[in-house]
Amino acid sequence: MTNQEQSINVSDLSDDVLLEICRAAEVIACECPGYLARILRQVRTFRHYTTSCIEQFPEDTETHLWLAEQAGRAEALLHQTMIELMRRENLIDESNHVLLAKLSNRAREIMLEQIGRD
């Protein structure tokens, strides 16, 4: 999904979609969307890791289930924060799609503006 003209449904914030958001925001002076996407991916990775620990360490199942639950809560909060951030920045259209091209263009405009000040 490298075409910047594509938009992504907000309900599909998969790891691949989060990577696309990071790529689209990578030159932005304020990297908040990309940074938040990376944190969300890390929390997801941790949640998956804790559930795989149950197979390796069955005696610690209760602890790993608790960790996975806590990570799931953090993931839900970060997911909602990501969506709200994109809405506040007008990067989600009326059809609930993330506008990658707009995010990328905004990033370039901010960077050019900063270069012009230097």
Side-chain angles (χ1 to χ4, degrees):
M1 187 186 326
T2 57
N3 183 353
Q4 291 288 321
E5 296 305 313
Q6 290 183 343
S7 62
I8 299 166
N9 193 306
V10 169
S11 64
D12 180 31
L13 287 182
S14 65
D15 284 346
D16 290 339
V17 169
L18 292 172
L19 283 173
E20 285 299 318
I21 290 170
C22 289
R23 285 187 191 109
E26 67 187 4
V27 296
I28 195 166
C30 169
E31 292 184 48
C32 289
Y35 200 10
L36 190 55
R38 286 188 293 276
I39 294 169
L40 180 53
R41 288 190 69 233
Q42 288 178 330
V43 170
R44 281 184 183 165
T45 300
F46 176 71
R47 184 174 50 83
H48 293 296
Y49 173 79
T50 60
T51 56
S52 69
C53 281
I54 294 170
E55 293 175 22
Q56 293 179 328
F57 306 101
E59 67 278 3
D60 295 327
T61 296
E62 186 176 323
T63 299
H64 288 107
L65 287 174
W66 175 78
L67 284 170
E69 181 182 327
Q70 297 305 309
R73 288 180 181 170
E75 181 181 348
L77 176 63
L78 288 168
H79 183 270
Q80 188 57 43
T81 301
M82 180 68 145
I83 291 169
E84 182 62 29
L85 173 63
M86 303 288 256
R87 281 199 174 105
R88 287 173 179 247
E89 296 296 317
N90 296 315
L91 297 171
I92 296 178
D93 67 13
E94 61 279 348
S95 300
N96 249 4
H97 286 86
V98 177
L99 305 171
L100 291 176
K102 186 173 181 178
L103 176 61
S104 185
N105 289 338
R106 187 185 77 158
R108 282 188 203 91
E109 287 171 12
I110 291 172
M111 185 59 71
L112 289 172
E113 188 177 300
Q114 284 188 341
I115 289 171
R117 285 188 223 149
D118 292 342

